[in-house]
Amino acid sequence: QVQLVESGGGFVQAGGSLRLSCAASGRTFSSYAMGWCRQAPGKERDLVASINWSGASTDYADSLKGRFLISRDNAKNTVYLQMNSLKPEDTAVYYCAASRRFRGSYDYWGQGTQVTVSS
């Protein structure tokens, strides 16, 4: 089983940046694809970005390409989401997730971290 703990959320003004981190437990982190999803109030949870086990392959929501960057450090069992040029519509709870297969469904989820972007 994999346990995921997100951090780095907070309050930021529009145009600012935040970097989210997700620390994973266990010695099998490098065998999992990882992803970040977000859920705004009253909306469905949407995929933000995903990364394969090595970091060589990534996917992004089309609307976020160029502003968000996903990366991972397998030595630290951590995946990151760098968010730049933040907009009020980026306000959401951001969740980290682990999947046994890149572009597959997610098997494990973190508890989420709130990101609030003010205009």
Side-chain angles (χ1 to χ4, degrees), residues 88-112:
E89 52 263 43
D90 295 319
T91 295
V93 178
Y94 284 71
Y95 297 90
C96 172
S99 173
R100 291 181 175 86
R101 185 169 58 89
F102 185 49
R103 301 190 178 110
S105 59
Y106 288 104
D107 304 292
Y108 303 102
W109 292 86
Q111 83 288 350

Side-chain angles (χ1 to χ4, degrees), residues 14-38:
S17 298
L18 281 176
R19 188 176 81 155
L20 305 183
S21 299
C22 173
S25 65
R27 292 177 288 181
T28 59
F29 173 76
S30 61
S31 66
Y32 286 88
M34 300 297 296
W36 287 96
C37 299
R38 69 184 184 183

Side-chain angles (χ1 to χ4, degrees), residues 21-80:
S21 299
C22 173
S25 65
R27 292 177 288 181
T28 59
F29 173 76
S30 61
S31 66
Y32 286 88
M34 300 297 296
W36 287 96
C37 299
R38 69 184 184 183
Q39 188 168 20
K43 295 188 177 181
E44 294 184 351
R45 189 174 298 188
D46 293 326
L47 177 68
V48 172
S50 59
I51 189 167
N52 78 328
W53 69 274
S54 68
S57 297
T58 56
D59 281 341
Y60 294 91
D62 287 342
S63 62
L64 301 177
K65 289 179 181 178
R67 293 199 297 125
F68 287 19
L69 179 67
I70 189 171
S71 62
R72 67 188 296 161
D73 186 338
N74 287 341
K76 295 182 178 179
N77 280 14
T78 302
V79 62
Y80 305 97

